[in-house]
Amino acid sequence: MQPTTNTPRILIIDDEEVVIDSCTQILKGSGYLVATAMDGTIGLRSVQDFHPDLVFVDLKMPGISGFEVLEKIQEIDATIVSIVITGFATIGSAVDAMKKGAYDFLPKPFTPDEFRMITRRGLERRKLVLETISLRREKELLREQFASIVSHELKAPLSAVQQNLFSLEYELSNALNEEQKEKIERVKVRIDELLKLINSWLRVISVDINKLKDGFKQIPITQPLSSALESMKPFAARKNIEITTAIADDLHPVTGDSISLSEVFVNIIGNAIKYSPENTRVLVKIEETKDSIRVSVKDSGIGISNDDLPHIFDGFYRGKSGQAMAGHGIGLAVSRQITEAHNGSITVESVLGKGTTFVVCLPYEKTGP
Ligand SMILES: Nc1ncnc2c1ncn2[C@@H]1O[C@H](COP(=O)(O)OP(=O)(O)OP(=O)(O)O)[C@@H](O)[C@H]1O
Ligand SMILES: [Mg+2]
């Protein structure tokens, strides 16, 4: 059979000639391209030149060890599937090999059927790995395309309409009667709401986690929190809600992006205000646990039902209890994305009619002994 670019490629690295010979023999006529190497160094060169889908590696070889070969294969191409051939099939060595990236192990001696079967499984695995990567890329591409459509086809024309409306209003300012002015005002409000919604969509689909990580710095957690509290002050004042803070001393700094973290706090403190009745209190507390900074925001508001609780972090989801208040169901979805980009977590506890507590945990780096 003529090999094609899709023909599966298998590399066998083993210092025992008899193993190499029998493996090659077993795979003969099965439509695979097979290459062999008698030690780790030659094997790794072959990984670079032959581009295998599946590599069998003997753990015990003279020269560089099978473990080292496994590690290097991962560095060269983490999508290559490696299976360990081992004469000392102890659980320990197999577990160690898996830790170094091996997909499975094959104890010596093995029958031709066992070898054929594990080969098929290994190649199946490789196919799945490649398919997952291409699906992820496709999803990424769709996300970018959607962001670009929303931005160019919706946001830009709507902004132009808004701009024209502003100038029309200015030009006609002396000619319009009260009723006409009111109509224009209503159109302005609707356009403004639409633009806000579009901006929220863009925010959800364009939080690029990896780009966010590029700007990470060591910051005191009080920095993003203070800025969030400052911007939420007027909203709290409007409902006569008192925001109390309890901040522990000598907190470790966290590694992150202050502006994004501030956005997280704006969202959860904003929700606490929005979903609370007037004249209530919101408590913002910062504590330190043995490995993370824990920020909690507790309100005595309308609460969230048990049916809604599992979904509130999903994009565009709005709980039943809060639907009288304006919102798009985006704040928490974005907050979760941002928190997870900081290797942190965001959790919630709530009792319907009683109140809600959101907790953001962010790990800090331990210094010293
Ligand atoms: N503190 C809270 N008390 C009660 N319900 C809350 C609270 N925080 C969030 N929720 C519920 O979770 C849902 C999702 O919250 P999220 O902040 O994502 O969206 P939103 O507030 O509806 O809109 P926006 O996108 O403007 O933030 C809300 O619609 C509300 O039902
Ligand atoms: Mg919200």
Side-chain angles (χ1 to χ4, degrees), residues 310-330:
H311 307 292
I312 55 167
F313 293 101
D314 298 345
F316 308 108
Y317 189 88
R318 304 210 64 217
K320 268 178 229 65
S321 53
Q323 281 179 1
M325 271 66 83
H328 303 305
I330 281 167

Side-chain angles (χ1 to χ4, degrees), residues 5-11 32 46-48 50-56 73-74 76-83 101-104 117-135 137:
T5 44
N6 292 328
T7 308
R9 291 165 177 261
I10 299 167
L11 171 65
Y32 307 139
S46 192
V47 169
Q48 311 248 31
F50 180 62
H51 304 293
D53 296 290
L54 174 63
V55 184
F56 285 95
I73 292 175
Q74 285 289 305
I76 296 169
D77 179 353
T79 69
I80 294 176
V81 174
S82 308
I83 294 175
Y103 165 61
D104 206 346
M117 193 127 81
I118 204 164
T119 302
R120 263 202 302 274
R121 279 195 344 107
L123 289 173
E124 201 53 40
R125 165 79 181 179
R126 161 82 168 169
K127 212 169 116 200
L128 274 179
V129 171
L130 293 182
E131 272 170 12
T132 309
I133 290 173
S134 97
L135 277 176
R137 272 202 204 116

Side-chain angles (χ1 to χ4, degrees), residues 267 270-271 274-275 330-332:
N267 283 330
N271 281 347
K274 179 159 78 171
Y275 299 111
I330 281 167
L332 289 178

Side-chain angles (χ1 to χ4, degrees), residues 252-284:
H252 277 91
V254 295
T255 307
D257 175 58
S258 190
I259 294 177
S260 311
L261 286 176
S262 166
E263 189 176 344
V264 172
F265 299 136
V266 162
N267 283 330
I268 54 177
I269 297 169
N271 281 347
I273 297 168
K274 179 159 78 171
Y275 299 111
S276 289
E278 290 183 1
N279 310 315
T280 50
R281 279 172 56 176
V282 170
L283 175 63
V284 179

